[in-house]
Amino acid sequence: MKFEKDIKVIEVYDVVVCGGGPSGCAAALAARREGLNVLLVESMGQLGGMAVSGHVSHWLGGRTQEGEWIVGGLFRSLAVEAAEKGYAAIPFLEPEKEYHPYGWFNWFVHGIPLDPFSIDLFLDKKMEEAGIDVLLHTQFIEPIINGNRITHVVLYNAGGLFAVPVTAVIDATGNADVAYRSGCETIKGRKEDGLMAPTSLIFHVYNVDTEELTAAVEENRDPKFRDLIGRLRKEGVWPYPYDIFICTQLPQKGEFYINTCRLTGIDGTDGKSLSEGMRRGRKETHELMRIFREYFPGFKNARIKSIASQLGVRETRRIVGNFVLTVEDLRKNKSFDDNIGFSMYGWDLPDPNKPSIQPFAEDEKSGFRPKVEKGLSTPLPYRIMIPRPIENLICPGRAVSVEGQVLGPVRVMAPCMAMGEAAGMASRQVVKEQVGFAGINMDNLRNHLKKAGAIIDTEQLPPIYPRIDQI
């Protein structure tokens, strides 16, 4: 059916950023810092993406196991400021302890746990201070294309459909929505069958007895309670396809986010499938909480504080650019002359059919000894964000041009912010010099990133010590 409608055209923007998650917020701030006129569009009612609406309230992948910064620039400045305001915490290694509730394994202190109910306000203020126009509850619909450039983006909100004239577009949707609808080459899920990693519906709990929980972790030497879950499965109490318990403490003591639920068969680009995932996830959340309260140490008096309003999607579409970052690149620990940042994160893309198993983990119980070795830090070449053939479009975040399993270490929030900052900064050349994102002056961009405090060269990295299980 052909559908036509006259729609209004609003004022011109230098840059429209579609998606207000970590990469989109960083991109908008960086582009505005360059003096550009920026519109940030977000489909949910608050900024922050998966950290806020998705309740994955941990900016992961930005620091070493020693607590030193691997991602600098906007990520580091936002994390430090949020911690100073009491909206987040910055954990540090305690050598005398083997476990800690911010990540349990003592070396797992590279994340920044945060309070989503404060971070949304924090991001609102950052955008307001920067002079960025923000439209919440607004959906990207379609691009208007002339040749190989987007001239307008069509958006929809409570006011109806409207078009925005634009010079540069940043696709921070996570699903490559703009790239896909612009005719760019994309791939969805695994190359061999299209299956995608399981999704999660995250929920937050409060009134957990942290001391009792920690004592049980130390006694059993397994924060994921595999033995307990195995026993409950044999008793018919645990019917789920996943076998691990994942909880991480939030800034307030006794509050944790629960990342146990793993929903297989959900397509994050399909509305009907997402609706099914939300319904299944909410049902399992309440069932899991009943089990936790009855059987899990520290949870007897715990209560659900909040269930995410957005499904936690790990994998959907990825762009296929002229360059694809491969597993072999990471195995060889290759360096790149267009590197714009790093990730401090391991292989983490669960099997679509076996949600507790990481395909590159040799020991399924520990999950940390990799079957495929790679450098402890993962480089982020600028070119993984460049789709083809649209010239004034760039895609930071988890929709980048990488092999499937490479998505694991690059999809988490701190490296997404690094990519977003580089994309926003590159927009200046696209707008002012009328070049495509692929044709920018890379030396100019990298020098500018360094001046902004970004970490882009191996010489800038702090010493990264191997974990005990890797010695």
Side-chain angles (χ1 to χ4, degrees):
M1 181 178 70
K2 188 175 182 179
F3 179 82
E4 292 183 356
K5 184 178 177 66
D6 290 330
I7 61 175
K8 65 181 178 181
V9 178
I10 67 168
E11 66 269 27
V12 178
Y13 282 89
D14 294 324
V15 179
V16 173
V17 181
C18 297
S23 62
C25 285
L29 288 168
R32 183 61 186 150
R33 190 175 60 195
E34 295 299 304
L36 302 179
N37 188 20
V38 180
L39 174 64
L40 176 59
V41 177
E42 167 55 40
S43 62
M44 304 297 289
Q46 65 265 94
L47 300 175
M50 289 312 304
V52 176
S53 300
H55 279 21
V56 187
S57 302
H58 218 107
W59 284 336
L60 290 173
R63 301 190 305 151
T64 71
Q65 67 268 32
E66 303 292 319
E68 297 178 90
W69 299 96
I70 285 285
V71 179
L74 278 170
F75 166 70
R76 178 166 53 190
S77 65
L78 290 172
V80 170
E81 184 179 349
E84 289 172 348
K85 292 180 180 298
Y87 302 158
I90 301 181
F92 285 95
L93 190 69
E94 298 182 55
E96 73 281 1
K97 293 183 180 179
E98 188 172 357
Y99 298 102
H100 67 92
Y102 285 124
W104 295 112
F105 296 99
N106 198 23
W107 47 262
F108 198 92
V109 293
H110 59 76
I112 305 293
L114 52 90
D115 173 21
F117 308 105
S118 300
I119 289 296
D120 54 1
L121 174 65
F122 175 65
L123 292 172
D124 284 343
K125 289 181 177 178
K126 299 305 292 185
M127 300 304 155
E128 183 180 2
E129 291 166 1
I132 295 167
D133 290 341
V134 178
L135 287 176
L136 302 174
H137 291 301
T138 300
Q139 296 273 357
F140 164 76
I141 303 298
E142 291 288 341
I144 304 298
I145 297 171
N146 183 10
N148 284 334
R149 297 184 78 88
I150 296 172
T151 61
H152 301 71
V153 291
V154 178
L155 307 176
Y156 173 81
N157 59 23
L161 288 163
F162 58 100
V164 184
V166 65
T167 303
V169 181
I170 298 176
D171 181 351
T173 62
N175 296 322
D177 285 339
V178 183
Y180 176 73
R181 294 174 196 171
S182 299
C184 296
E185 185 177 355
T186 61
I187 185 172
K188 188 166 69 171
R190 294 195 302 202
K191 187 174 182 179
E192 61 269 28
D193 55 18
L195 294 180
M196 290 168 278
T199 61
S200 292
L201 187 62
I202 310 298
F203 63 101
H204 289 190
V205 298
Y206 69 99
N207 209 30
V208 175
D209 187 332
T210 306
E211 286 75 18
E212 182 181 344
L213 176 59
T214 302
V217 168
E218 291 172 344
E219 179 182 352
N220 297 316
R221 301 184 64 78
D222 180 12
K224 297 186 177 181
F225 290 104
R226 291 176 178 84
D227 291 340
L228 172 58
I229 290 172
R231 176 171 63 82
L232 294 177
R233 184 180 297 284
K234 289 179 181 178
E235 295 173 1
V237 175
W238 190 275
Y240 311 110
Y242 38 88
D243 304 301
I244 53 178
F245 170 71
I246 301 177
C247 75
T248 302
Q249 186 171 297
L250 296 165
Q252 295 298 319
K253 186 176 180 181
E255 294 190 5
F256 288 76
Y257 85 80
I258 309 296
N259 187 11
T260 296
C261 171
R262 300 286 174 97
L263 302 164
T264 59
I266 302 299
D267 182 344
T269 66
D270 179 84
K272 184 176 180 180
S273 187
L274 284 170
S275 297
E276 178 196 349
M278 290 297 296
R279 290 194 299 269
R280 278 171 53 190
R282 276 193 290 267
K283 180 174 182 288
E284 288 188 19
T285 291
H286 288 276
E287 292 171 349
L288 285 168
M289 196 62 196
R290 177 184 56 78
I291 295 171
F292 294 160
R293 284 167 51 83
E294 184 172 353
Y295 295 99
F296 280 64
F299 277 78
K300 181 179 179 180
N301 298 310
R303 297 288 187 273
I304 294 174
K305 180 178 181 179
S306 180
I307 301 174
S309 57
Q310 183 176 1
L311 202 63
V313 177
R314 294 176 173 84
E315 176 186 26
T316 53
R317 300 188 197 98
R318 305 187 304 280
I319 61 171
V320 181
N322 289 329
F323 171 79
V324 179
L325 186 65
T326 67
V327 170
E328 189 66 12
D329 291 333
L330 302 195
R331 280 188 65 250
K332 292 181 177 179
N333 206 20
K334 287 184 67 174
S335 58
F336 300 91
D337 58 8
D338 64 339
N339 200 53
I340 49 84
F342 293 92
S343 171
M344 182 62 191
Y345 206 66
W347 305 114
D348 185 4
L349 200 69
D351 187 284
N353 298 314
K354 301 173 183 177
S356 296
I357 293 178
Q358 300 290 344
F360 280 12
E362 185 174 334
D363 182 345
E364 294 178 6
K365 184 173 181 180
S366 74
F368 295 119
R369 291 182 176 85
K371 184 183 294 184
V372 178
E373 296 285 349
K374 74 172 190 68
L376 286 176
S377 63
T378 297
L380 303 170
Y382 171 84
R383 70 194 94 161
I384 66 175
M385 299 188 287
I386 306 299
R388 57 186 182 191
I390 300 299
E391 296 172 356
N392 62 336
L393 176 64
I394 191 168
C395 301
R398 68 169 168 83
V400 288
S401 181
V402 299
E403 277 190 340
Q405 284 297 321
V406 176
L407 191 61
V410 306
R411 68 181 175 84
V412 290
M413 297 184 203
C416 283
M417 288 193 199
M419 289 185 276
E421 182 171 13
M425 192 174 283
S427 299
R428 184 182 186 281
Q429 293 186 50
V430 175
V431 171
K432 300 297 183 183
E433 300 173 24
Q434 292 296 299
V435 298
F437 277 104
I440 66 163
N441 184 310
M442 186 53 56
D443 289 339
N444 181 303
L445 174 63
R446 280 172 42 84
N447 289 334
H448 207 17
L449 281 168
K450 278 187 177 181
K451 289 178 182 177
I455 298 171
I456 63 173
D457 291 321
T458 54
E459 295 80 10
Q460 295 176 271
L461 294 175
I464 301 177
Y465 304 101
R467 303 190 299 260
I468 288 176
D469 62 301
Q470 292 181 329
I471 295 176

